[in-house]
Amino acid sequence: MAELAGLEDPRAREVNERHGDDHGVNLGRLRALAKRLKTQQELARRLWETGDTAARLLALLICRPKAFGRDELDAMLRQARTPKVHDWLVNYVVKKNPHSEELRLAWSADPDPAVAAAGWALTAERVSRKPEGLDLAGLLDVIEAEMKGAPDRLQWAMNNCLAQIGIEHAGHRARAIAIGERLEVLKDYPTSPGCTSPFAPVWITEMVRRQGDKAS
């Protein structure tokens, strides 16, 4: 904890706080610290229990993803107050855990929008990597009905799932683009030069174009 405190950078904190993250540690330096510590599951659990955001991010980098139980991960997600901790927990730990599918189903139906967002993030991953058994048309029905009015974090996750369906599954592409055009979610999202807009119709079209370029 003392070493993490020594890595605190006021400028990094200022940038992070604009995104809802209450820590001031440069993530590159945090990753370097994690690389030095290597995997330490017990230390990871103790760091998580501090409640400190930087400590929790470090914990997620040095833990063993498969060592957590289902209920433990559920509790951790509900404790993850900030966007970065939430995202790293889902992407670095839950996706690699044997309970990920069970949690995906439970979280997707959770009344807490932050928890539901994690469920949708896991669903987007399945859309891309293991779509067998998913009802893609049914997912599009839910997105069409609920995404426009969803809270920000949940809306972002649903939009990501919409884009992945359109990018990865040609049979559903036209409908995915049409839903995006009709709902206009993230249409005016500020996008840096050289980056792809998160507006689903633009995102889908650009990624499909890139895949075509690779294939040729």
Side-chain angles (χ1 to χ4, degrees):
M1 293 302 295
E3 188 162 354
L4 284 172
L7 294 176
E8 176 79 18
D9 179 344
R11 287 171 298 180
R13 178 173 287 275
E14 184 181 342
V15 171
N16 291 331
E17 285 183 343
R18 287 203 293 269
H19 298 97
D21 290 307
D22 58 349
H23 74 93
V25 179
N26 175 283
L27 295 181
R29 299 178 77 180
L30 191 74
R31 290 180 189 279
L33 176 56
K35 190 173 181 180
R36 197 183 82 223
L37 290 171
K38 299 187 172 62
T39 303
Q40 296 192 49
Q41 181 68 7
E42 186 53 40
L43 175 59
R45 281 198 167 100
R46 287 164 58 202
L47 286 167
W48 182 272
E49 288 166 4
T50 67
D52 178 79
T53 293
R56 285 185 163 178
L57 291 173
L58 181 60
L60 297 172
L61 292 174
I62 67 169
C63 72
R64 281 197 301 276
K66 294 179 181 178
F68 293 103
R70 179 210 181 281
D71 292 347
E72 190 173 13
L73 288 174
D74 183 71
M76 289 170 71
L77 183 77
R78 294 172 195 281
Q79 295 163 2
R81 299 169 296 100
T82 64
K84 186 66 71 178
V85 171
H86 184 279
D87 291 346
W88 280 22
L89 175 61
V90 172
N91 287 301
Y92 295 172
V93 181
V94 180
K95 285 181 180 179
K96 300 173 183 176
N97 184 275
H99 301 289
S100 61
E101 179 61 12
E102 185 184 351
L103 289 168
R104 180 186 78 82
L105 293 169
W107 288 346
S108 295
D110 199 278
D112 183 331
V115 176
W120 278 94
L122 293 171
T123 299
E125 171 85 356
R126 267 206 65 187
V127 165
S128 298
R129 298 183 180 275
K130 204 170 90 173
E132 298 78 21
L134 284 179
D135 177 7
L136 297 178
L139 288 173
L140 290 175
D141 289 343
V142 176
I143 291 168
E144 189 168 23
E146 299 180 11
M147 181 170 75
K148 182 81 171 179
D152 287 351
R153 196 182 298 183
L154 177 55
Q155 184 183 72
W156 187 274
M158 294 177 85
N159 183 72
N160 184 24
C161 191
L162 173 65
Q164 293 308 316
I165 292 172
I167 292 164
E168 302 292 343
H169 302 280
H172 297 277
R173 186 169 297 147
R175 185 182 174 204
I177 290 173
I179 289 170
E181 288 174 340
R182 185 160 56 255
L183 299 183
E184 297 188 336
V185 167
L186 300 175
K187 184 176 182 179
D188 299 319
Y189 190 85
T191 306
S192 302
C195 296
T196 303
S197 169
F199 179 47
V202 173
W203 187 359
I204 293 166
T205 303
E206 174 60 17
M207 296 309 293
V208 171
R209 182 192 68 77
R210 290 185 195 176
Q211 289 172 358
D213 289 347
K214 286 180 183 176
S216 60

